[in-house]
Amino acid sequence: MKRSFWLSLLLVVVAAPSWAAGVIIIHDADHWWPGPHPPHPIPVPMPRPILPRPMPPPFVWAPLEVSFAKVNARIRDQVAVTTVEQEFYNPNPRQLEGTFLFPVPQGAHLDKFTMEINGRPAEAELLTADKARSLYEDIVRKLKDPALLEYSGRDLFKVRVFPIEPNSRKRLTLSYTQLLKSDAGLVAFRFPLNTEKFSAKPLWNLAVKLDLETQRPLKSVYSPTHKVEVRRHGERGATVGFEAADVKPDLDFELFFSQETADVGLSLLTHKLGSDDGYFLLLASPGDVKTGKTVPKDVAFVLDTSGSMAGAKLEQAKKALLFCVENLNDADRFEILRFATEVEPLFDKLAEASPGNRSRAGRFIKDLKPIGGTAIDDALKKALSIRPDRSDRPYVVIFLTDGRPTVGVTDEKRIVDHALQAAASTRVFCFGIGTDVNTHLLDKITEGTRAVSEYVLPEEDIEVKVSSFFAKIKEPVLANPKLKFPDGVRVTKTYPTALPDLFKGEQLVVAGRYSGRANGDILLEGTVNGERRAFEFTAAFAGESVAHDFIPRLWATRRVGYLLDEIRLHGENRELKDEVVELARRYGIVTPYTAYLILEDEQRRGVALDQRSFRELEQSRTAQSEMGAVYYSFRSDTSGDRAVSGARSYQSLKDASAPQDALVMSGAEALRVAPSAAPVALQERAARARGTVAGGSGISGTSKARPAQPSTRELANEFARQSQFINGRAFYQNGAQWVDAEAQKQAAAKRVRLQFGSDGYFEFAKKNPQAQSWLALGRNVQFVLGETLYEIHD
């Protein structure tokens, strides 16, 4: 009998500084006929030869399906106890046998490794790295799939899984204890969700929950890979959560957290290779320290009550203002201004947040009616004029409008100039409601006052957006923050370009470039109630650092967002556009508009077809035309659906903390207004991916069909997957092969061809561990290593 190996997914999540993943290898030796063999032919009187019965066809089985994966980790300082619970389903009408493989993270030591299958303990065999490598290579040869190569060189736990009953579920629970490593004061917690290559269908449910508890006050809690929810429990604890449904996770999860006794905790991570400028990530957070004293602030709420606000918009905005007034601190002062054709203040001054004044404000808000035009200039001037001349309090204006200026001064430049001249250190946060707002006007005001704009689409809830924002700025900690770096290092291109104020429970995430090297103090200084406050911490800007290779892509994502916003608000020039193209291609920053710019550039330069980045997009004239229209409308439109989409899309990149999530959010905004920018083939892939979750005999036992058309987020996710950013390189799918973005720069380099699965192929993988994750992309890969361009082929 001819043995064959098939690979199906069993997601295993590991908390570790480096990563590993668990898979089940299914062993199936028999050909199988699904029903009784056909009977012998019935004899007839006329003599004729008796025909042999036909050979049964080989049994083609369906890969295992994962119903859910639940990851719970309890972390006490640097000790993590991780438990993973999974249920997977065998959709085949026959019993299977498999081997569960769990590669141990490099440099990690796992204690108390236990495993249960359907509640019964299972013994695991530990293989050394050499024995594990032989096993991996054997599987890769038989499967003709290089996916497991990235685990090569690591110890391995192996567990037999038998029986895997037909049409049934099997639950696996894995638990272990690990000492997490600390780098520059940040404890790293990592586990793999990179299961794309093993999963035939999306995971029904994925849930990750981390409970943090520290002896010293908990400060920064940051994930560069996923958009997580962080709920703090006092100054020494927090719960971190991430949950998704119907997903194919293809990115490992990583979390950093710090402990610090100072009022504000600061941490620095760096990445620097060779003589090129390095990259750094700085985190600053006050945590949730109970100081016993709240910094008082002044707030002016400015609400557009013009006729266009009638209906749900005004009712939601009124509820949002009621929430904000009720959540003012007792020492705060506030004012409410409604504007339409004219401006009407409630108190005509900043009033104490007393119970009586709050009650009066509530009545004022409830009585607001929509009527008249839109006097934006007058409203802003009035809001900025009521700030006392010698006040040391932080002053915040929350400005809500759904339209363009129609009364008084209507010229965009004059309104911006008036606002910035009067603002001084005031922060003006703008909420654009609907799509008939002047995005350039609002964004230039917030840009000049070190604040941000947020745009609320017609189908979104204004109350939720405004209330969530106000809860974040409830307690100021540090106003007008500035950073000073040690001598010997030069810091450039930091994002955000102007540091925002720091609030309790929030954190500042700064990414930038640096040259030189230094060990010294970084100074964070600002003001609190007019008094200067300064925080120092010792940090090292390394001359060489291969760790934290996520930082360059995070920095590049923010840089591209900043450059595109510069083009949108202040006009395009060749230098800005060329830098966007270079960064987007090098770091795999793929959205409809960056893809268009890369296509345009490669066609202009005559890049060889086998090294181009978006061959599929290039073959769709409709998609190209629509992508170009998106880019140019984002650049030129000041109001309307595409203008709002452009503002939201670029802001997602500028604010990126988890680059991949930011790309999907940014791309979804573009595809929301231009769905045909996704080629038909891409739309079909997205539709097939969503299809039916489990089918009639699937995980749930019943069919659950999704809507016929994929959502814009699903399309954006499929759009972004045309590129894979792996081990510091961006790869693009070009037909049947994956091509390294660096290959375009090495067109004249020495070429070496290696046949997939050959002895030379495995010898190359063994000698070049840095290339193993690139080889794992597939059987046809093109990449640059050193001065050589390697071509892996079937």
Side-chain angles (χ1 to χ4, degrees):
M1 292 182 294
K2 181 181 178 181
R3 287 195 73 83
S4 62
F5 286 76
W6 290 83
L7 186 63
S8 64
L9 165 70
L10 182 62
L11 173 65
V12 170
V13 200
V14 182
S18 59
W19 62 276
V23 297
I24 283 185
I25 303 298
I26 296 298
H27 309 273
D28 181 37
D30 299 326
H31 290 164
W32 184 73
W33 178 253
H37 291 307
H40 289 284
I42 300 174
V44 295
M46 294 180 62
R48 68 175 187 179
I50 298 176
L51 299 174
R53 62 181 179 180
M55 291 295 293
F59 168 59
V60 180
W61 63 277
L64 302 183
E65 302 169 9
V66 177
S67 54
F68 66 78
K70 297 179 181 177
V71 183
N72 285 280
R74 185 178 178 184
I75 303 174
R76 300 297 176 263
D77 292 318
Q78 289 180 238
V79 178
V81 178
T82 303
T83 301
V84 183
E85 183 182 3
Q86 299 168 277
E87 183 179 88
F88 59 98
Y89 176 76
N90 176 12
N92 302 282
R94 71 168 299 180
Q95 180 174 282
L96 299 175
E97 176 184 355
T99 299
F100 176 74
L101 306 179
F102 181 81
V104 176
Q106 288 180 339
H109 178 69
L110 306 186
D111 290 324
K112 302 178 183 179
F113 184 93
T114 63
M115 187 169 171
E116 293 182 354
I117 300 176
N118 280 5
R120 296 180 179 180
E123 289 202 17
E125 177 187 0
L126 178 62
L127 303 181
T128 63
D130 288 339
K131 290 184 178 179
R133 182 184 293 109
S134 297
L135 177 60
Y136 287 140
E137 291 183 4
D138 185 49
I139 294 171
V140 169
R141 281 190 173 96
K142 289 182 170 66
L143 288 175
K144 296 185 179 179
D145 185 341
L148 290 176
L149 279 180
E150 55 191 315
Y151 304 114
S152 186
R154 306 176 189 184
D155 293 348
L156 172 72
F157 281 104
K158 186 176 78 166
V159 180
R160 179 174 180 254
V161 183
F162 179 81
I164 305 174
E165 294 84 357
N167 301 117
S168 65
R169 301 174 179 85
K170 190 169 289 289
R171 187 165 297 191
L172 181 145
T173 303
L174 177 70
S175 180
Y176 57 88
T177 302
Q178 184 179 0
L179 180 65
L180 304 177
K181 292 183 179 180
S182 177
D183 181 9
L186 285 167
V187 178
F189 180 92
R190 192 173 186 178
F191 56 86
L193 297 178
N194 185 6
T195 61
E196 166 69 14
K197 51 189 166 291
F198 304 132
S199 179
K201 292 185 178 180
L203 274 71
W204 185 260
N205 179 260
L206 172 65
V208 179
K209 181 182 178 184
L210 286 68
D211 289 316
L212 306 180
E213 189 176 303
T214 57
Q215 293 185 5
R216 293 180 295 162
L218 181 64
K219 299 299 183 179
S220 295
V221 180
Y222 168 69
S223 171
T225 55
H226 292 75
K227 190 174 183 179
V228 297
E229 179 183 12
V230 180
R231 292 190 177 182
R232 294 180 181 265
H233 312 299
E235 62 179 23
R236 290 179 170 83
T239 299
V240 180
F242 170 77
E243 188 165 2
D246 299 340
V247 292
K248 283 188 174 183
D250 57 0
L251 192 66
D252 296 337
F253 183 97
E254 191 164 14
L255 187 86
F256 294 95
F257 64 91
S258 67
Q259 308 172 60
E260 182 62 62
T261 54
D263 289 347
V264 176
L266 295 101
S267 306
L268 181 79
L269 297 176
T270 61
H271 179 84
K272 190 175 189 298
L273 301 177
S275 60
D276 292 341
D277 285 358
Y279 303 82
F280 74 88
L281 174 71
L282 183 143
L283 304 174
S285 175
D288 195 25
V289 177
K290 306 297 182 184
T291 61
K293 184 179 180 181
T294 301
V295 176
K297 63 181 179 297
D298 293 337
V299 186
F301 302 101
V302 186
L303 176 61
D304 182 348
T305 60
S306 60
S308 59
M309 282 288 289
K313 287 193 288 188
L314 184 57
E315 292 307 310
Q316 290 177 12
K318 287 160 70 171
K319 290 179 181 178
L321 288 191
L322 288 170
F323 172 88
C324 294
V325 170
E326 288 302 315
N327 281 273
L328 289 164
N329 299 316
D330 291 341
D332 291 344
R333 297 182 301 196
F334 74 107
E335 170 65 300
I336 299 175
L337 301 98
R338 72 103 192 148
F339 74 96
T341 304
E342 70 291 322
V343 181
E344 179 187 354
L346 171 59
F347 302 108
D348 207 20
K349 65 177 182 179
L350 288 168
E352 300 293 333
S354 64
N357 285 338
R358 294 188 204 218
S359 178
R360 182 180 171 186
R363 293 192 298 271
F364 179 80
I365 293 169
K366 291 176 182 178
D367 289 341
L368 293 175
K369 300 291 189 296
I371 189 171
T374 309
I376 289 179
D377 187 60
D378 290 343
L380 281 170
K381 285 194 290 188
K382 181 64 176 178
L384 295 169
S385 69
I386 61 175
R387 177 178 188 174
D389 292 335
R390 297 185 178 181
S391 175
D392 292 326
R393 294 183 173 209
Y395 184 46
V396 175
V397 174
I398 299 177
F399 188 85
L400 295 88
T401 181
D402 79 330
R404 292 167 286 178
T406 60
V407 176
V409 177
T410 59
D411 179 71
E412 175 188 309
K413 185 178 184 307
R414 289 180 61 195
I415 296 174
V416 172
D417 289 344
H418 292 166
L420 299 188
Q421 289 168 9
S425 59
T426 300
R427 305 289 180 256
V428 182
F429 294 93
C430 295
F431 286 83
I433 301 170
T435 60
D436 194 35
V437 292
N438 185 326
T439 58
H440 285 207
L441 171 63
L442 300 186
D443 289 346
K444 288 176 181 178
I445 290 171
T446 56
E447 180 185 57
T449 61
R450 296 170 69 170
V452 292
S453 302
E454 188 158 353
Y455 296 92
V456 187
L457 298 178
E459 63 271 20
E460 295 178 330
D461 194 317
I462 302 164
E463 180 186 1
V464 171
K465 294 270 188 178
V466 176
S467 301
S468 175
F469 162 78
F470 191 74
K472 293 178 181 179
I473 67 163
K474 182 177 173 65
E475 297 188 31
V477 171
L478 194 68
N480 304 308
K482 296 179 182 178
L483 285 166
K484 292 184 178 179
F485 297 95
D487 294 336
V489 66
R490 180 173 176 266
V491 169
T492 59
K493 298 177 181 176
T494 59
Y495 301 99
T497 51
L499 300 184
D501 296 340
L502 197 55
F503 298 89
K504 177 182 174 181
E506 298 299 306
Q507 66 185 356
L508 180 63
V509 180
V510 181
R513 303 294 304 269
Y514 75 93
S515 58
R517 59 185 301 173
N519 291 314
D521 290 337
I522 295 179
L523 177 69
L524 174 66
E525 60 181 350
T527 58
V528 177
N529 286 338
E531 297 181 4
R532 181 182 176 275
R533 294 289 306 276
F535 305 92
E536 284 186 342
F537 76 107
T538 302
F541 284 90
E544 183 82 15
S545 174
V546 299
H548 315 305
D549 59 359
F550 68 88
I551 301 177
R553 194 183 192 211
L554 171 64
W555 172 83
T557 302
R558 291 188 170 193
R559 172 72 175 169
V560 166
Y562 167 79
L563 293 173
L564 288 170
D565 222 32
E566 282 292 298
I567 291 172
R568 180 176 71 94
L569 296 177
H570 306 294
E572 181 186 86
N573 61 56
R574 185 81 256 171
E575 290 77 14
L576 293 179
K577 191 174 178 180
D578 287 348
E579 187 175 357
V580 168
V581 171
E582 172 60 23
L583 290 175
R585 179 170 40 231
R586 179 179 177 184
Y587 293 101
I589 302 170
V590 178
T591 68
Y593 41 85
T594 57
Y596 170 77
L597 293 176
I598 291 172
L599 272 175
E600 186 183 59
D601 172 73
E602 291 178 352
Q603 290 169 350
R604 178 179 57 83
R605 292 190 294 115
V607 174
L609 292 179
D610 69 337
Q611 293 184 345
R612 292 194 182 181
S613 304
F614 298 105
R615 289 292 291 133
E616 187 175 80
L617 300 182
E618 199 166 10
Q619 293 164 5
S620 173
R621 291 189 176 183
T622 300
Q624 281 192 72
S625 175
E626 191 69 357
M627 286 189 294
V630 166
Y631 171 71
Y632 287 109
S633 63
F634 280 9
R635 189 189 71 177
S636 59
D637 292 358
T638 60
S639 63
D641 205 11
R642 290 200 171 189
V644 169
S645 179
R648 285 166 54 113
S649 187
Y650 294 166
Q651 193 65 45
S652 295
L653 300 181
K654 290 171 66 177
D655 293 343
S657 290
Q660 193 65 22
D661 185 76
L663 290 181
V664 173
M665 291 176 62
S666 183
E669 268 302 319
L671 293 170
R672 180 181 66 82
V673 296
S676 58
V680 173
L682 188 147
Q683 294 182 44
E684 290 175 348
R685 282 202 305 274
R688 284 196 301 270
R690 68 188 347 253
T692 299
V693 174
S697 61
I699 292 165
S700 64
T702 59
S703 176
K704 179 181 178 181
R706 296 184 178 97
Q709 295 299 321
S711 68
T712 53
R713 185 175 177 87
E714 288 168 329
L715 285 175
N717 194 41
E718 198 67 42
F719 208 105
R721 282 179 176 170
Q722 295 173 101
S723 172
Q724 297 284 327
F725 191 76
I726 300 174
N727 195 18
R729 295 282 182 85
F731 286 80
Y732 293 86
Q733 194 162 20
N734 186 315
Q737 70 174 344
W738 285 93
V739 181
D740 181 359
E742 293 296 309
Q744 292 185 14
K745 300 178 181 178
Q746 301 288 341
K750 173 187 175 184
R751 293 192 177 220
V752 173
R753 288 172 58 83
L754 291 172
Q755 185 173 8
F756 169 77
S758 65
D759 291 341
Y761 172 87
F762 287 108
E763 185 65 24
F764 175 83
K766 184 178 180 180
K767 290 182 178 180
N768 297 278
Q770 70 270 40
Q772 288 170 358
S773 56
W774 302 338
L775 293 172
L777 277 167
R779 297 194 297 254
N780 295 277
V781 187
Q782 191 178 120
F783 58 84
V784 176
L785 186 61
E787 302 297 322
T788 304
L789 179 62
Y790 290 91
E791 296 181 6
I792 311 301
H793 64 94
D794 278 331

